[in-house]
Structure formats: structure tokens, C-alpha cells
């Protein structure tokens, strides 16, 4: 077993919303969002948010090819992309790629994206 050779497909994707005043989240704020173990594929999530930022945090080596809103418009360019080191329960720090939207208020905000 080599700790330097982690299978990134076993790392969680974090998704959810951040308070509107958070433009550069901390690892704790990311880890408090919904944690999902998913396969690389099309994903769809629906949220109702009020004056918050949508956020998707992808494990190392994963990128989002396209983020679609509820009208199937490509809104990928409207998301800010950042990197953040997150240490999981295994004690190993991994660099996640964060996709963060501008502040928005929407009911049944549907996001579809491909990993």
C-alpha cells in the first residue's frame, strides 16, 4: 500500500452552497457541504438557494467539462475556479478544484455537469 498513490476515484466530490460573503472558502466550509462518492459521469443536483454561491469541489485529476443551468445553458464561464488543499479522514492532503458561482437566489436551481 503506497500512501502517495491514492486512487482519486475514491475521493469525495463536495457540492452545495456557500454563504454569499464567502468568495474564498476554507477546507472546513467545503467539507461541510454534501459529500458524494460518484463515478466520472453526468451529474445532476437541484438546490434552492437564497443569496448564496453554488460550489462544486472536485478531487485531484477531475475537471468539469460543462456546467448547465435549469434551461440547459452552459454557465461554466460564470464560475470562478480555485484550488484548495483538503485533508480527508485518511490524513492525506489533496488539492481540490473548486467551481464557485456568483451570489444568486433561485428556487429549484438545477445544475447538470459532466466530470
Amino acid at each position: 500500500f503506497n500512501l502517495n498513490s491514492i486512487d482519486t476515484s475514491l475521493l469525495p466530490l463536495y457540492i452545495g452552497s456557500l454563504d454569499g460573503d464567502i468568495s474564498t472558502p476554507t477546507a472546513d466550509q467545503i467539507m461541510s457541504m454534501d459529500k458524494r462518492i460518484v463515478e466520472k459521469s453526468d451529474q445532476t443536483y437541484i438546490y434552492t438557494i437564497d443569496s448564496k454561491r453554488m460550489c462544486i469541489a472536485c478531487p485531484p485529476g477531475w475537471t468539469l467539462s460543462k456546467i448547465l443551468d435549469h434551461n440547459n445553458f452552459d454557465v461554466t464561464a460564470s464560475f470562478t475556479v480555485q484550488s484548495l488543499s483538503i485533508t480527508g479522514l485518511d490524513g492525506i492532503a489533496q488539492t481540490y478544484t473548486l467551481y464557485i458561482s456568483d451570489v444568486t437566489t433561485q428556487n429549484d436551481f438545477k445544475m447538470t455537469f459532466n466530470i
Side-chain angles (χ1 to χ4, degrees), residues 10-105:
L10 301 176
L11 295 173
L13 170 112
Y14 295 95
I15 186 166
S17 61
L18 301 167
D19 287 339
D21 61 345
I22 299 172
S23 59
T24 306
T26 65
D28 287 341
Q29 290 165 329
I30 295 299
M31 292 174 68
S32 71
M33 297 188 314
D34 292 338
K35 179 170 128 175
R36 311 284 173 117
I37 303 294
V38 299
E39 293 181 16
K40 291 183 179 182
S41 65
D42 287 338
Q43 303 288 321
T44 300
Y45 297 94
I46 299 174
Y47 288 89
T48 296
I49 57 177
D50 186 14
S51 298
K52 294 187 182 253
R53 298 175 188 270
M54 286 306 308
C55 180
I56 307 161
C58 295
W62 293 34
T63 57
L64 301 186
S65 60
K66 190 183 292 186
I67 304 171
L68 303 175
D69 69 6
H70 63 283
N71 292 315
N72 286 325
F73 290 117
D74 183 352
V75 294
T76 310
S78 69
F79 280 69
T80 301
V81 180
Q82 300 176 17
S83 295
L84 179 67
S85 179
I86 296 176
T87 301
L89 297 176
D90 59 4
I92 300 172
Q94 301 288 339
T95 301
Y96 273 69
T97 301
L98 311 181
Y99 297 83
I100 304 170
S101 76
D102 288 334
V103 177
T104 187
T105 298

